[in-house]
Amino acid sequence: VIVGVQVIHWGKRDISGEQHSYHNLFEHVPVAIWEEDFSKVAVWLEQLRALGVVDLREYLAINPDTVRFGASLIEVTDVNDETLDFPHADSRADVLGPLNPDLIVEDSMGALVEEIVAVWEGRPKLRIDMVGANLSGDQIEGYLLLAAPQTPTGIDWSRVVVVMVDVSEQLAAQRRLQELVDSKDRFVASVSHELRTPLTTVIGLAEELRHQNTTIGPQERDELLELIGDQAMEVGNLVEDLLVAAQATIGRINVLPQPIGLGSELADLVGLLDLPNPPSIDVVGDIRPFADPRRFRQILRNLISNAYRYGGDIILISARRQGETMVLEVRDNGDGIPDELQERIFEPYESAHKVAGLTESVGLGLTVSRELARLMGGDLTYYRTGGTTVFQLVLPASEEEESTISEPAQTAV
């Protein structure tokens, strides 16, 4: 914008004879500059005055087609090299000459109206925000600066300097930064809740055991200790995801792949999670994924927890060998994820579900799981088929074999 103001300043002084300095600035500044002839626009506006038009804005609003007509009267007489990059034009011939009103996108009409009104009101300077598009159709956001030289006899509308400063990338980065700040705020709130809930339970039950130890029977004590262990494990799982997310940011996640007994690993994990309605497990063939056991367990935990938190009431975990890979799928009969969010769910702090009465999750489980899967030479993807939500985990398979472990699903998903 500062450069644009400098160009406007020199443009106004050009009539005084400082041609050389102006030309150098015109050609070499890193912003798009047009020299345009508004003479025909000024003549047309005088004709409108003669016809009795008093309020030009009102007239243009009632007769919107006249805005494009006014644009067709503007003639581009010169442009700098930066302007050729701005609209993705191949040569100056593509830009010079009368403006083509058909190339003016609707979002740019407001800026064009302000230019015409500036001529109507005799204002030699103008600065406005605008949204437009280049010849390739890419949206552009920026600032438009306009100035016309003043002579002893009045404003010279034949030598109007128009500067367009494209700040699309800066504004996009600003929006991304704001989205990140907003997501971090949601993240902090979610982490606070998800840590506070189990910790409150652990503290309350521990206090109960400490103060009522003599009056609590062995069975009740065992139940309280089990609850404390479950809640502490939930906190540990969340902290583990947070650590992996932090390590991934700085590229310091270590994985130590080895052959894993898939059937026994699934059985142990489902038993450890102590789910009220355990999922059906169907492992076809002799499969031993080649993966880091701890990270593999972390991925499975996140996928199963995600299905129970947001999926339907029927969950099936199936696995098969496919060439040199293991393909494991966690399916449920839930509503699924909207198309526009199917990739965003793998981004940090994103959640595709807003469930009434259920606090929004931290939004790291799927991010961490995909990151770990890729570090181990595989991938984690989502798809929807026949009313079924599917998260598919692909990992390298070991050549070592394991006895087939299959627990057929009682209800197909």
Side-chain angles (χ1 to χ4, degrees), residues 5 12 32 54 88 117 158 225-226 265 303 317 332 348 358 362 386 391 409 412:
V5 171
K12 291 169 65 182
V54 177
H88 292 185
V117 170
S158 68
L225 289 172
E226 184 177 357
E265 188 70 33
L303 293 180
I317 303 173
D332 70 74
L358 184 63
V362 173
F391 281 93

Side-chain angles (χ1 to χ4, degrees), residues 122-157:
R123 287 186 287 125
K125 294 189 297 182
L126 177 68
R127 182 192 183 282
I128 56 174
D129 297 335
M130 68 165 292
V131 177
N134 59 29
L135 295 180
S136 300
D138 302 323
Q139 185 171 341
I140 296 169
E141 296 178 272
Y143 304 99
L144 186 145
L145 304 168
L146 177 149
Q150 298 190 61
T151 69
T153 58
I155 300 172
D156 182 2
W157 291 112

Side-chain angles (χ1 to χ4, degrees), residues 1-13 22 25 29-33 125-128 143-147 161-165:
V1 176
I2 294 175
V3 173
V5 171
Q6 290 174 332
V7 174
I8 293 298
H9 176 67
W10 278 104
K12 291 169 65 182
R13 296 170 60 184
Y22 169 72
L25 188 60
V29 295
V31 293
I33 311 173
K125 294 189 297 182
L126 177 68
R127 182 192 183 282
I128 56 174
Y143 304 99
L144 186 145
L145 304 168
L146 177 149
V161 178
V162 178
V163 177
M164 176 62 188
V165 183

Side-chain angles (χ1 to χ4, degrees), residues 106-215:
E106 198 63 34
D107 288 339
S108 300
M109 296 302 290
L112 185 55
V113 167
E114 292 304 316
E115 292 182 64
I116 294 173
V117 170
V119 179
W120 172 272
E121 295 176 349
R123 287 186 287 125
K125 294 189 297 182
L126 177 68
R127 182 192 183 282
I128 56 174
D129 297 335
M130 68 165 292
V131 177
N134 59 29
L135 295 180
S136 300
D138 302 323
Q139 185 171 341
I140 296 169
E141 296 178 272
Y143 304 99
L144 186 145
L145 304 168
L146 177 149
Q150 298 190 61
T151 69
T153 58
I155 300 172
D156 182 2
W157 291 112
S158 68
R159 294 288 305 278
V160 176
V161 178
V162 178
V163 177
M164 176 62 188
V165 183
D166 183 5
V167 293
S168 303
E169 292 184 2
Q170 294 91 324
L171 292 177
Q174 183 179 347
R175 285 191 288 267
R176 287 194 297 270
L177 179 61
Q178 186 59 50
E179 289 174 0
L180 181 60
V181 170
D182 293 342
S183 67
K184 291 282 188 180
D185 290 342
R186 295 193 301 271
F187 164 72
V188 170
S190 297
V191 168
S192 299
H193 177 88
E194 292 205 9
L195 286 175
R196 183 178 64 242
T197 300
L199 283 176
T200 300
T201 302
V202 169
I203 293 171
L205 294 178
E207 287 294 313
E208 183 73 13
L209 283 172
R210 184 170 67 175
H211 295 297
Q212 305 294 333
N213 186 48
T214 57
T215 60

Side-chain angles (χ1 to χ4, degrees), residues 67-89:
V67 178
R68 293 188 182 274
F69 172 75
S72 70
L73 299 177
I74 301 172
E75 184 166 352
V76 179
T77 57
D78 198 5
V79 295
N80 66 348
D81 289 339
E82 190 72 22
T83 303
L84 301 182
D85 295 332
F86 185 84
H88 292 185

Side-chain angles (χ1 to χ4, degrees), residues 177-299:
L177 179 61
Q178 186 59 50
E179 289 174 0
L180 181 60
V181 170
D182 293 342
S183 67
K184 291 282 188 180
D185 290 342
R186 295 193 301 271
F187 164 72
V188 170
S190 297
V191 168
S192 299
H193 177 88
E194 292 205 9
L195 286 175
R196 183 178 64 242
T197 300
L199 283 176
T200 300
T201 302
V202 169
I203 293 171
L205 294 178
E207 287 294 313
E208 183 73 13
L209 283 172
R210 184 170 67 175
H211 295 297
Q212 305 294 333
N213 186 48
T214 57
T215 60
I216 295 177
Q219 182 178 352
E220 186 178 359
R221 182 180 294 106
D222 290 343
E223 292 175 354
L224 292 177
L225 289 172
E226 184 177 357
L227 286 172
I228 290 174
D230 291 343
Q231 295 300 307
M233 184 180 298
E234 185 175 337
V235 173
N237 291 337
L238 176 58
V239 170
E240 188 173 19
D241 282 347
L242 291 170
L243 288 174
V244 169
Q247 291 168 344
T249 303
I250 58 177
R252 292 187 179 178
I253 302 178
N254 294 321
V255 293
L256 302 172
Q258 65 185 60
I260 300 173
L262 178 59
S264 57
E265 188 70 33
L266 280 172
D268 290 346
L269 180 61
V270 170
L272 188 64
L273 292 175
D274 193 24
L275 301 167
N277 181 28
S280 300
I281 299 175
D282 186 11
V283 178
V284 180
D286 299 330
I287 309 171
R288 291 178 70 83
F290 189 71
D292 185 311
R294 177 185 172 194
R295 301 310 185 187
F296 180 65
R297 195 175 302 118
Q298 188 174 359
I299 294 173

